[in-house]
Amino acid sequence: MYNIVSAIFLAENIKKIEIQAPRIAKKRKAGQFVMIRTGEHGERIPLTIAGSDPEQGTITIIVQGMGKSTRELNLKETGDTIHDIVGPLGTPSHIENFGTAVSIGGGVGSAIAYPTAVALKEAGNYVITINGARTRDLVILEDEMKAVSDEAYITTDDGSYGFHGFVTQKLQELIDSGKTIDYVLAIGPIPMMKAVAEVTRPYGIHTVVSLNPVMVDGTGMCGGCRVTVDNETRFACVDGPEFDAHKVDFKNLSDRNRMYLPEEKQSVEAFSHKCHLGQQH
Amino acid sequence: MDLKPMTTKERLAIPRQTMPAQDPAKRVQNFNEVNLGYTPEMAQKEAMRCIQCKDPICIKGCPVNIKIDKFIKLIAEGNFLGAAKKIKEDNILPAICGRVCPQEDQCEKVCVLTKKYTPVAIGNLERFAADYEREHGHIELPEVKPATGKKVAVIGSGPAGLSCANDLARLGHSVTVFEALHELGGVLMYGIPEFRLPKDIVKIEIEGLKKIGVEFVANTVVGRSVTIDELLKDEHFDAVFIGVGAGLPWFMGIPGENLLGVYAANEFLTRVNLMQSYTFPENDTPVFNCKGKNIAIFGGGNTAMDAVRTAKRLGAEHAYIVYRRSEAEMPARAEEIHNAKEEGIEFLLLMNPVEFIGNEQQWLTGVKCIRMELGEPDDSGRRKPVPVKGSEFVLPVDMAVVSIGNGSNPLIKQTTPEIEVSKRDTIVVDINTMATSKDNVYAGGDIVTGGATVILAMGAGRTAAKAIHEKLMGLASDFQEW
């Protein structure tokens, strides 16, 4: 059992959870993830580590309630426990002084892009962050991003805050303005990452994405998280989760992520029903 | 039971006792254990078949050298608890080994009765003694030597790690076992299905280790959560044993392998066994809904048999084993092949997949296969399968499981590069001590041999434990150090 030392909503349905996990807090590097099992009958789900405090022995995850497991996690409060957590897993982000680095986070992807932005800044990069959300209320980590950025932009799909449009439009604008960009990190929904890859491809800008395939063990044993990169099968849990965006077969990834949609729907419906019943009492 | 001495002739006249089993038609509808175990009468009768050879070569056929003649004699005498105790002098997991060891290739293969009669059912008897002890609540704790003050870290709680931990703990060392998954037991939990090895049995055998002082730490990936160097330096372990098992599954490298509905055996079995997805939605982890579907498993080993029989139990209409050689070359245990056949598994032999075919939504719909014929023997001594030109056809299937073996987990190699590995990335050891190229670090099990058996891994764990003990206590007979 792992103790939750704090759990607060950053936006509707997006919760920041700090968990006591000293070994992980000590070892974790930007870009790595943990596998979490909320309860005794829970799934093992991968969640990227958003930050850690080695002194306090805590790690932070930022969770958007999507399927049953993430919704269940978002019901957790300070003082609650999580059944299992293991990590840090995956190969850490490759960090060096690239020059000018753009870190793009879409939706809850900003939570994952953030620690890498911090590491890029520490390595001496000129860091530009683009923090995208559907609407103003869903923008997360605005202050944190600003603090590590030489330039910080916010985009909203509906124009309710910051730049009106997609992160890719902002990125294109930066490129068009004649800025030399040496490195782009894009983390968010698959269509967003694919779109970013297409924006940078013609310019040959080194672009990295963090992939989120379905995982079971997360430690290099089951082979469930295989992704197609450069026409080869790679395992996101040990070879990734970060890969060269220009070589990723995004279609295969989004296809494979649909594998359990009916079961996920069934789980969510049963869970919502249970929660609803709970509220009536 | 009449205990007057029997003549050899009388003993040989007793037929080998068949293990009672669930009816095949019934058992494919549940995940309960297939074999039901001997009754005490059957066990005694079977034990009397043993002619108590002066030089019991069966012991040499056992990777951990169980005193087979002695424990069988105790069973024949009706001293079942004594028999269990005798086995445990050499094997800490008899309830497990009695179920999953390939006895027909080990102890029973060399039994002197094998030539003219059928061998004594050593495995069934081992299982009986262990089950009897457990079911009668008499599990006796083995003797533990006084504390030595030495600390040993064991990485992985599978068969290699458990046997190594057991021996070291009994010798008085302080042992901590690190496990990557949330459950202890390694392949015994995630790999071998409930119907062949009930998980409660694994849990009880592990409880026994806890009782003699072995500490277990789950959810810890050595190489990531902590490195071997940190264990030795920062956490002051005097030695480390690596028993992390097999790593990433091999795929066949044919088109369509990443379609929806194509699994590696490790994933399919982990979902069903460890995550218990056969109870979905009671447990949250789903698995492909096999009900009324056609399922093909590619491979001919024990894992392939486990996967295909699991698919059948999940409701598959047709569950196929597709294997490129003939049945004679199958690496699976004869008993598992027999059980699979009884359960209606269809064997498509001398057949090899060349392409997975999917629909618009990228779901698997079929596998293009080619027929094979056996040619000249290859490196493994088995006749090499050669494709028959123009014999391709499409086998319609909804789910496929690739079960052709595993590579090695890359984590130890990545984080402790000074440990020498082979071309296949397995760890290189001195087979007499299981010592790796790094001081005070030992390894055994699948990470050394590549995919093998539970009992071989246990044997390696024991060899390492002995060497670690000798090294830590300054008993090592290695003169080069002087």
Side-chain angles (χ1 to χ4, degrees):
Chain A
M1 291 289 191
Y2 299 78
N3 292 322
I4 295 176
V5 296
S6 115
I8 46 165
F9 277 108
L10 295 181
E12 192 191 338
N13 205 22
I14 300 179
K15 205 164 196 173
K16 180 178 165 185
I17 305 174
E18 256 179 88
I19 309 163
Q20 196 75 40
R23 270 192 205 275
I24 306 173
K26 203 172 113 194
K27 297 292 289 187
R28 120 326 129 165
K29 292 199 174 100
Q32 289 188 298
F33 64 94
V34 286
M35 297 298 295
I36 283 188
R37 207 166 71 108
T38 312
E40 201 189 336
H41 301 285
E43 282 185 280
R44 294 170 64 93
I45 55 164
L47 289 166
T48 301
I49 306 165
S52 67
D53 184 339
E55 305 269 295
Q56 300 294 316
T58 59
I59 61 160
T60 303
I61 51 168
I62 294 177
V63 189
Q64 182 170 27
M66 307 274 282
K68 183 194 167 183
S69 302
T70 45
R71 285 175 198 224
E72 210 169 37
L73 256 181
N74 276 1
L75 289 180
K76 296 278 182 187
E77 304 287 353
T78 306
D80 287 347
T81 56
I82 284 175
H83 210 280
D84 296 289
I85 176 163
V86 57
L89 301 169
T91 304
S93 305
H94 174 76
I95 303 288
E96 60 176 90
N97 190 348
F98 296 101
T100 298
V102 181
S103 165
I104 305 174
V108 77
S110 299
I112 310 169
Y114 171 67
T116 307
V118 173
L120 286 166
K121 182 72 197 162
E122 282 167 1
N125 287 279
Y126 182 87
V127 174
I128 302 173
T129 56
I130 306 176
N131 193 352
R134 223 170 53 234
T135 185
R136 180 174 191 153
D137 290 345
L138 296 177
V139 174
I140 57 169
L141 303 178
E142 184 183 354
D143 295 339
E144 288 87 343
M145 284 289 194
K146 231 180 223 161
V148 298
S149 307
D150 293 287
E151 289 176 43
Y153 301 98
I154 285 173
T155 70
T156 51
D157 299 358
D158 64 0
S160 54
Y161 193 47
F163 177 87
H164 184 177
F166 296 131
V167 291
T168 41
Q169 290 168 299
K170 186 71 218 173
L171 176 64
Q172 186 68 59
E173 209 182 86
L174 290 171
I175 295 171
D176 291 344
S177 73
K179 214 175 256 309
T180 308
I181 296 172
D182 304 292
Y183 172 89
V184 170
L185 167 78
I187 302 173
I190 295 170
M192 183 212 97
M193 293 193 287
K194 185 171 189 291
V196 168
E198 290 320 313
V199 168
T200 59
R201 194 189 301 273
Y203 306 97
I205 300 171
H206 177 34
T207 304
V208 169
V209 287
S210 178
L211 305 185
N212 59 337
V214 174
M215 287 188 189
V216 186
D217 70 298
T219 65
M221 183 271 283
C222 87
C225 66
R226 57 197 195 275
V227 289
T228 310
V229 181
D230 209 9
N231 291 317
E232 271 182 40
T233 293
R234 304 292 297 277
F235 300 97
C237 73
V238 286
D239 299 329
E242 292 185 3
F243 292 99
D244 182 339
H246 296 148
K247 292 178 178 166
V248 170
D249 182 341
F250 287 103
K251 178 160 186 317
N252 185 233
L253 175 64
S254 58
D255 285 338
R256 285 184 60 81
N257 278 1
R258 280 191 288 106
M259 180 137 174
Y260 299 104
L261 275 190
E263 286 84 3
E264 280 167 23
K265 205 169 151 227
Q266 188 188 345
S267 275
V268 165
E269 274 165 13
F271 183 68
S272 307
H273 182 66
K274 213 169 96 186
C275 290
H276 186 63
L277 287 180
Q279 279 165 5
Q280 286 177 341
H281 288 290
Chain B
M1 181 108 4
D2 189 359
L3 283 176
K4 78 168 187 286
M6 289 173 82
T7 62
T8 300
K9 201 175 164 191
E10 281 171 327
R11 292 181 189 278
L12 294 177
I14 306 171
R16 179 170 159 130
Q17 303 295 296
T18 308
M19 170 87 79
Q22 271 199 78
D23 178 62
K26 208 170 163 188
R27 73 186 188 229
V28 294
Q29 293 170 36
N30 65 53
F31 273 82
N32 300 337
E33 193 175 9
V34 168
N35 290 328
L36 301 172
Y38 281 158
T39 61
E41 293 72 30
M42 293 169 90
Q44 263 182 302
K45 217 167 172 188
E46 181 63 32
M48 285 173 189
R49 297 182 62 233
C50 174
I51 57 170
Q52 294 288 315
C53 302
K54 277 217 179 76
D55 177 20
I57 49 170
C58 50
I59 296 178
K60 292 186 195 109
C62 171
V64 297
N65 308 121
I66 294 174
K67 298 170 197 89
I68 295 170
D69 58 328
K70 295 211 169 67
F71 95 76
I72 289 184
K73 184 158 187 273
L74 288 163
I75 291 181
E77 291 166 2
N79 183 356
F80 305 140
L81 293 175
K85 205 174 165 189
K86 185 55 70 184
I87 298 171
K88 283 191 168 172
E89 287 175 11
D90 303 294
N91 178 5
I92 47 146
L93 308 172
I96 295 171
C97 293
R99 286 171 166 82
V100 304
C101 263
Q103 290 98 5
E104 69 270 23
D105 286 326
Q106 299 173 358
C107 52
E108 293 183 21
K109 188 180 187 176
V110 296
C111 173
V112 295
L113 300 193
T114 304
K115 272 187 197 155
K116 280 195 172 172
Y117 308 88
T118 51
V120 174
I122 301 168
N124 291 354
L125 289 172
E126 179 185 25
R127 170 197 162 127
F128 168 79
D131 286 357
Y132 186 90
E133 184 194 44
R134 188 182 65 252
E135 283 157 14
H136 289 75
H138 285 292
I139 301 185
E140 228 175 289
L141 294 183
E143 187 200 339
V144 176
K145 295 252 163 70
T148 61
K150 302 287 182 188
K151 275 176 72 179
V152 183
V154 170
I155 308 173
S157 66
L162 292 179
S163 68
C164 186
N166 172 71
D167 283 9
L168 288 168
R170 283 167 63 175
L171 288 164
H173 303 297
S174 156
V175 182
T176 305
V177 180
F178 295 95
E179 166 59 45
L181 293 171
H182 57 269
E183 289 270 18
L184 304 173
V187 73
L188 306 171
M189 291 306 281
Y190 75 74
I192 302 175
E194 177 78 17
F195 58 83
R196 208 149 71 78
L197 177 63
K199 301 306 154 213
D200 281 347
I201 291 179
V202 180
K203 286 181 183 165
I204 290 171
E205 302 225 312
I206 289 173
E207 278 308 308
L209 288 187
K210 288 184 184 166
K211 283 185 188 143
I212 60 166
V214 176
E215 196 194 331
F216 287 89
V217 182
N219 291 322
T220 307
V221 182
V222 175
R224 290 277 191 232
S225 316
V226 61
T227 62
I228 289 173
D229 281 329
E230 287 165 340
L231 288 175
L232 290 168
K233 288 187 194 123
D234 305 346
E235 305 203 13
H236 310 293
F237 283 98
D238 298 292
V240 173
F241 174 76
I242 306 171
V244 294
L248 282 163
W250 283 327
F251 286 89
M252 297 181 288
I254 62 175
E257 220 153 23
N258 291 342
L259 286 167
L260 284 73
V262 182
Y263 283 102
N266 278 6
E267 183 187 359
F268 180 62
L269 290 171
T270 299
R271 284 180 178 272
V272 180
N273 299 332
L274 178 73
M275 307 310 294
Q276 297 182 13
S277 59
Y278 62 92
T279 63
F280 178 87
E282 203 179 297
N283 279 287
D284 289 343
T285 307
V287 71
F288 180 84
N289 186 346
C290 296
K291 276 205 183 73
K293 301 286 172 56
N294 298 332
I295 313 290
I297 313 306
F298 298 91
N302 287 317
T303 308
M305 296 304 141
D306 286 346
V308 76
R309 295 171 69 198
T310 297
K312 190 74 187 176
R313 280 163 175 75
L314 291 170
E317 173 77 22
H318 290 284
Y320 306 109
I321 281 283
V322 180
Y323 183 55
R324 63 200 182 114
R325 305 182 197 241
S326 73
E327 190 176 322
E329 288 85 17
M330 276 196 174
R333 289 182 65 193
E335 186 194 333
E336 304 309 329
I337 296 172
H338 167 81
N339 282 338
K341 282 185 175 165
E342 272 193 352
E343 291 167 11
I345 303 304
E346 296 159 66
F347 285 68
L348 306 178
L349 303 171
L350 288 166
M351 206 172 277
N352 208 22
V354 288
E355 182 183 354
F356 290 105
I357 299 163
N359 63 15
E360 282 271 292
Q361 288 78 43
Q362 300 300 301
W363 273 98
L364 180 73
T365 56
V367 186
K368 190 196 261 185
C369 296
I370 188 163
R371 292 183 198 282
M372 311 291 277
E373 56 191 8
L374 293 179
E376 296 297 308
D378 63 11
D379 294 346
S380 72
R382 298 178 297 180
R383 291 177 64 193
K384 191 185 164 157
V386 222
V388 179
K389 261 197 189 136
S391 67
E392 290 95 339
F393 70 101
V394 174
L395 177 71
V397 293
D398 306 288
M399 184 189 98
V401 177
V402 180
S403 180
I404 57 166
N406 303 287
S408 302
N409 194 297
L411 288 184
I412 303 270
K413 181 187 159 190
Q414 279 173 15
T415 54
T416 319
E418 65 268 37
I419 293 179
E420 190 190 340
V421 295
S422 72
K423 263 188 256 167
R424 295 188 304 148
D425 278 353
T426 52
I427 295 179
V428 177
V429 296
D430 169 348
I431 54 160
N432 297 311
T433 60
M434 309 311 280
T436 70
S437 57
K438 186 175 167 70
D439 239 11
N440 297 322
V441 178
Y442 299 73
D446 282 4
I447 189 66
V448 168
T449 55
T453 61
V454 169
I455 192 74
L456 279 175
M458 287 186 55
R462 301 205 68 194
T463 304
K466 184 168 175 279
I468 291 170
H469 174 68
E470 286 171 356
K471 177 88 188 278
L472 296 185
M473 304 311 285
L475 311 168
S477 51
D478 186 354
F479 293 106
Q480 286 172 344
E481 285 191 5
W482 298 89

